[in-house]
Amino acid sequence: MVTPTLGNPELVEELLRSTVLAGRTAGVPWEHIVVDSTPGAAGQLMAQICRRHGASYLRGPDRVGAKRNLGARSAAYDIVAFVDSDCTVVPRFFTAHLAAYREQPDVGGVAGPTDLHGPDDTFALRALRRARQYRSWFERDLSWPRRYAEMGWSTTSNLSVRADVFRAVGGFDERTLTVVGGEDVDFGIRVRKAGHRIVTSPEAVVLHTTMTATRLGRVARRVFRYGQAEGWLCQRHPELTAPDYRNPFVIAAAAGVAGLVLFPRAPRARQAAVAALAVLAAREVASRHERGSGAVGVVHDSVCTGLDMVFDAGKVAAAVQQRRPGDLFRRFRYVQDRWFVAREDAR
């Protein structure tokens, strides 16, 4: 197993305890490699924690994809599992992953579900679960292995892959726009494009703490990275995109240009046109999430709208960074019918 991390020594120790139990349950040779870029004394503490639980500790670069590549290159066994540092695994984790490979020897990778655990009634989490962009992470991507028998990609909170397949596709791309974001989607797509299947194992459960999603500022930065990651994915796999003209920043810019063109000598009319289109942009963003009620609902709606706009701002940043303004009018199709096969008992 390979785990990239930056900080979070307490969470890493919880993960290591759970993998020791999972290893004992499986009764097969296994290893846990932690690749860390935590500076100073905190990094030394991380190394001590790893030694205490029999895990290998490697110093690595900041980029998460590069950390996973370093860990995978150092792995001794034929199957490499990836689990994030803010997760723990159930006792049957290794057993369930290995069973999937035994039952279907031709598969390239196995994905398991990731369940959230921890505080779930905070204001931030209640608001976030209604935001379109963040809800997709909460309710869609993490639970897909229960819905699908095969997938086109999987979050690396819970993914294993054959070592030879990992090497054949070149591992994770280390040239992402951000330190983390999009590299797991890209990796899975390249595995599928190379002709290897990614099947699922509903019993190979990972528990993801919600403690890292309770501060709005931290969540907003993550959502911004999601927007950048989508822009990067549009550039990496343009054949997997679809038209999308709903970015409110694009609408606002178009409003300004239209106002100047249509009303070059009538500032009030120009301002009215810009205001009208700005209202339409705001309504578009607001329509993306579930509506609340009462005073708290209004606040939640404001938070949801703000987060969705942060995501859109990330896409704008990616378009500027990559000099690809056309990507502002595209969205990435995360589900491809030819790779995502519904589980019969989930229909």
Side-chain angles (χ1 to χ4, degrees):
M1 179 188 293
V2 175
T3 296
T5 190
L6 170 61
N8 299 324
E10 299 87 359
L11 295 178
V12 169
E13 186 156 29
E14 289 185 23
L15 170 60
L16 294 177
R17 289 195 187 103
S18 71
T19 54
V20 169
L21 178 57
R24 291 172 180 168
T25 302
V28 297
W30 64 279
E31 64 183 348
H32 197 157
I33 302 171
V34 176
V35 186
D36 180 39
S37 58
T38 306
Q44 296 174 9
L45 174 60
M46 191 78 73
Q48 293 173 7
I49 291 173
C50 289
R51 288 194 295 269
R52 186 184 309 153
H53 296 280
S56 300
Y57 177 82
L58 299 177
R59 296 294 298 176
D62 288 334
R63 287 183 177 270
V64 171
K67 287 177 179 174
R68 294 195 187 103
N69 287 343
L70 176 59
R73 288 195 299 267
S74 305
Y77 299 108
D78 295 336
I79 295 174
V80 182
F82 299 98
V83 175
D84 290 339
S85 62
D86 49 2
C87 299
T88 57
V89 302
V90 299
R92 282 185 50 79
F93 176 80
F94 289 130
T95 302
H97 271 272
L98 292 173
Y101 287 102
R102 286 194 296 268
E103 293 168 4
Q104 304 183 70
D106 62 328
V107 304
V110 176
T114 301
D115 294 339
L116 299 174
H117 78 109
D120 62 357
D121 60 349
T122 64
F123 166 79
L125 287 171
R126 288 197 301 271
L128 294 175
R129 282 191 167 99
R130 293 217 309 272
R132 184 188 69 169
Q133 303 302 339
Y134 212 70
R135 189 174 68 247
S136 68
W137 179 81
F138 266 113
E139 299 176 355
R140 184 194 67 186
D141 305 356
L142 299 182
S143 63
W144 271 346
R146 290 193 177 95
R147 177 180 178 184
Y148 296 106
E150 294 187 27
M151 294 167 52
W153 61 273
S154 168
T155 64
T156 38
S157 60
N158 189 351
L159 173 69
S160 66
V161 64
R162 293 189 185 278
D164 57 347
V165 171
F166 184 89
R167 291 190 294 268
V169 301
F172 292 91
D173 195 320
E174 301 180 9
R175 300 164 296 174
T176 53
L177 290 180
T178 56
V179 171
V180 58
E183 76 284 340
D184 50 358
V185 183
D186 170 68
F187 174 74
I189 289 172
R190 287 188 287 112
V191 168
R192 294 308 307 254
K193 284 182 176 180
H196 306 288
R197 296 162 59 214
I198 299 176
V199 301
T200 60
S201 175
E203 294 184 351
V205 178
V206 159
L207 303 177
H208 190 298
T209 181
T210 60
M211 293 299 295
T212 57
T214 56
R215 297 180 180 179
L216 286 178
R218 184 173 184 176
V219 169
R221 289 190 293 272
R222 179 182 289 182
V223 172
F224 185 84
R225 290 197 302 267
Y226 287 169
Q228 289 179 288
E230 178 159 317
W232 179 73
L233 288 169
C234 287
Q235 177 268 326
R236 284 284 284 157
H237 304 281
E239 75 283 2
L240 299 180
T241 64
D244 186 4
Y245 302 95
R246 299 174 299 171
N247 191 307
F249 295 97
V250 175
I251 295 174
V257 173
L260 289 173
V261 172
L262 297 175
F263 308 103
R265 297 184 180 181
R268 290 185 179 179
R270 183 166 64 244
Q271 292 170 3
V274 171
L277 286 174
V279 169
L280 291 176
R283 289 187 61 184
E284 158 58 30
V285 176
S287 68
R288 299 176 183 179
H289 60 264
E290 300 173 11
R291 307 297 295 177
S293 60
V296 175
V298 172
V299 176
H300 283 176
D301 291 341
S302 299
V303 172
C304 293
T305 299
L307 285 175
D308 282 331
M309 291 190 70
V310 167
F311 179 88
D312 292 321
K315 288 198 68 173
V316 172
V320 173
Q321 288 175 277
Q322 299 180 119
R323 299 180 181 179
R324 292 174 59 92
D327 287 345
L328 289 173
F329 304 97
R330 311 289 299 178
R331 60 178 174 82
F332 190 76
R333 294 187 292 111
Y334 290 93
V335 178
Q336 301 83 35
D337 291 340
R338 69 182 185 276
W339 291 333
F340 283 80
V341 180
R343 187 178 300 280
E344 293 296 330
D345 57 9
R347 291 181 179 178

